[in-house]
Amino acid sequence: MRCLHRALAIALLLVPMAMPARAENEHALMALPADVMQFLGIYAAQDLGFWQREGLDVKTVFIAGVGSFNAVVSGSADFSVSSAVALTRAAAHGQRMLAIANMIDRPVWSIVVSKEIADAAHFDPAAPLAMRARLLQGRKISIDAVNSVVHAYLRAIARAGGVDPENIIVAPLQPADTLAAFSRKALDGFVAGTPWPQQVLQNGTGVVIASPITNDPDWIAPNGSGVVVTRPQFCVEHRSICLKMGKGLVAGARFIHEQPDEALALMKKHFDKIDAAVIERSFKVVEIGTPLPPVMVSAVLANSERLNIEAGLMAPADRLKSYDGLFTDAFVRQAP
């Protein structure tokens, strides 16, 4: 009997050794260019564990502006969230990257002018874009950076109204500085994404004269201001990571559309220093801008290049002949 007990004890000790070990999570580093509301689907994927449940640990870091894209090019990061403009510009210079998703296909920017200026001009928000855009003539407008995609949008809208973009005084400023200058009337207006236009709409000091959310201009969408980019070879060598990344991104986009109350609550938690009413306005814009599924398509790249051309920041002859190899939908189409 003692021998039997000893044998059973040894067998029990050996059982855990015989069971297959649980596979460890894979890891990925994602670079974000800013902490902005339009990345809500990505925040949801991380905060609510959508990537974790697929077996992927994703660390996000903030690297301002185009630096996030360059971090992927250099291999310092595995993924970045960038614009389609950055993707096509890089390809035109021989640096071909791969877009695996597009989390925002209708950009959330707005061109705002002061209500005082709008009222003096008897501004009609229902007028054709060409008429609304004329209000930009000779104005001082803040942008994020010269030759950025936001600057391109301002120039394209100005041209739609027959306004020479060179007659617009642009002031590159950060959002906090923009709002301060706008409030003391040092600026006539600004171009920005959520929540800054919604903030001046909420307090009644600003008027939106154009936005992609309201189809200004009618060719602007689909576009790409939330493009998830990686190196082409990365998804060859780490296909399972790209598959898991795609599933998490789809879950994040689905969360916004299928659980809007919970998504709004997450946005309020993430941006807890901003007035709740402003966040509610902003959420509606982000919801419209978020596609489901978040697929990347060739039209996104074509419209992004057209934006640069319409703005006069790119010659028509420099348009890419083909977008083959610059995007794939394989990692977001497959997600249930």
Side-chain angles (χ1 to χ4, degrees), residues 141-200:
I141 307 292
S142 172
I143 57 173
D144 56 352
V146 173
N147 293 341
S148 68
V149 67
V150 167
H151 188 200
Y153 183 65
L154 173 63
R155 290 177 61 90
I157 294 300
R159 286 186 162 193
V163 175
D164 183 351
E166 302 304 325
N167 289 335
I168 299 173
I169 302 168
V170 294
L173 295 171
Q174 292 301 306
D177 297 327
T178 292
L179 291 183
F182 184 75
S183 66
R184 65 175 185 268
K185 301 181 181 179
L187 292 172
D188 297 319
F190 60 87
V191 191
T194 54
W196 316 117
Q198 289 70 36
Q199 186 160 324
V200 298

Side-chain angles (χ1 to χ4, degrees), residues 25-77:
N25 280 4
E26 294 184 283
H27 303 271
L29 179 64
M30 173 179 280
L32 301 178
D35 184 15
V36 291
M37 290 182 172
Q38 70 180 51
F39 296 160
L40 180 61
I42 291 168
Y43 298 146
Q46 186 170 51
D47 295 356
L48 303 180
F50 297 153
W51 282 314
Q52 276 284 335
R53 76 184 182 191
E54 301 298 334
L56 181 65
D57 291 328
V58 178
K59 180 181 179 181
T60 55
V61 295
F62 292 105
I63 304 177
V66 73
S68 60
F69 183 89
N70 291 338
V72 176
V73 172
S74 69
S76 300

Side-chain angles (χ1 to χ4, degrees), residues 103-332:
M103 299 302 287
I104 293 288
D105 72 348
R106 188 177 293 274
V108 298
W109 325 307
S110 294
I111 300 178
V112 172
V113 297
S114 73
K115 189 174 187 303
E116 184 178 332
I117 288 174
D119 288 346
H122 305 290
F123 176 73
D124 179 5
L129 175 61
M131 292 182 63
R132 286 180 275 132
R134 292 172 194 163
L135 201 55
L136 294 171
Q137 177 68 44
R139 303 298 180 187
K140 186 174 183 179
I141 307 292
S142 172
I143 57 173
D144 56 352
V146 173
N147 293 341
S148 68
V149 67
V150 167
H151 188 200
Y153 183 65
L154 173 63
R155 290 177 61 90
I157 294 300
R159 286 186 162 193
V163 175
D164 183 351
E166 302 304 325
N167 289 335
I168 299 173
I169 302 168
V170 294
L173 295 171
Q174 292 301 306
D177 297 327
T178 292
L179 291 183
F182 184 75
S183 66
R184 65 175 185 268
K185 301 181 181 179
L187 292 172
D188 297 319
F190 60 87
V191 191
T194 54
W196 316 117
Q198 289 70 36
Q199 186 160 324
V200 298
L201 288 173
Q202 183 67 24
N203 65 28
T205 61
V207 172
V208 171
I209 65 170
S211 174
I213 292 297
T214 50
N215 296 316
D216 299 324
D218 58 8
W219 52 263
I220 193 71
N223 214 291
S225 59
V227 180
V228 180
V229 174
T230 188
R231 299 178 300 282
Q233 193 61 24
F234 184 84
C235 284
V236 174
E237 297 172 352
H238 305 282
R239 183 173 177 80
S240 64
I241 291 180
C242 291
L243 286 168
K244 293 171 183 178
M245 174 60 69
K247 287 183 178 180
L249 293 172
V250 171
R254 182 179 292 122
F255 175 71
I256 291 172
H257 289 285
E258 297 183 0
Q259 297 175 258
D261 292 341
E262 292 83 352
L264 174 59
L266 178 63
M267 182 182 275
K268 287 180 176 178
K269 181 180 179 181
H270 200 89
F271 297 95
D272 59 353
K273 300 294 189 294
I274 297 174
D275 181 80
V278 173
I279 294 179
E280 288 166 13
R281 281 177 175 262
S282 301
F283 175 75
K284 292 176 182 178
V285 172
V286 171
E287 187 178 24
I288 293 170
T290 302
L292 183 64
V295 293
M296 186 69 177
V297 295
S298 61
V300 168
L301 300 175
N303 290 338
S304 294
E305 285 199 311
R306 180 174 178 180
L307 177 58
N308 266 335
I309 292 169
E310 296 281 348
L313 298 179
M314 176 181 177
D318 292 336
R319 189 194 300 265
L320 293 175
K321 301 296 186 294
S322 170
Y323 306 121
D324 291 348
L326 292 180
F327 70 96
T328 179
D329 64 3
F331 304 111
V332 292

Side-chain angles (χ1 to χ4, degrees), residues 1-17:
M1 185 64 71
R2 284 196 299 272
C3 291
L4 179 59
H5 287 166
R6 188 179 297 111
L8 286 172
I10 293 171
L12 289 172
L13 288 171
L14 292 175
V15 165
M17 298 174 62

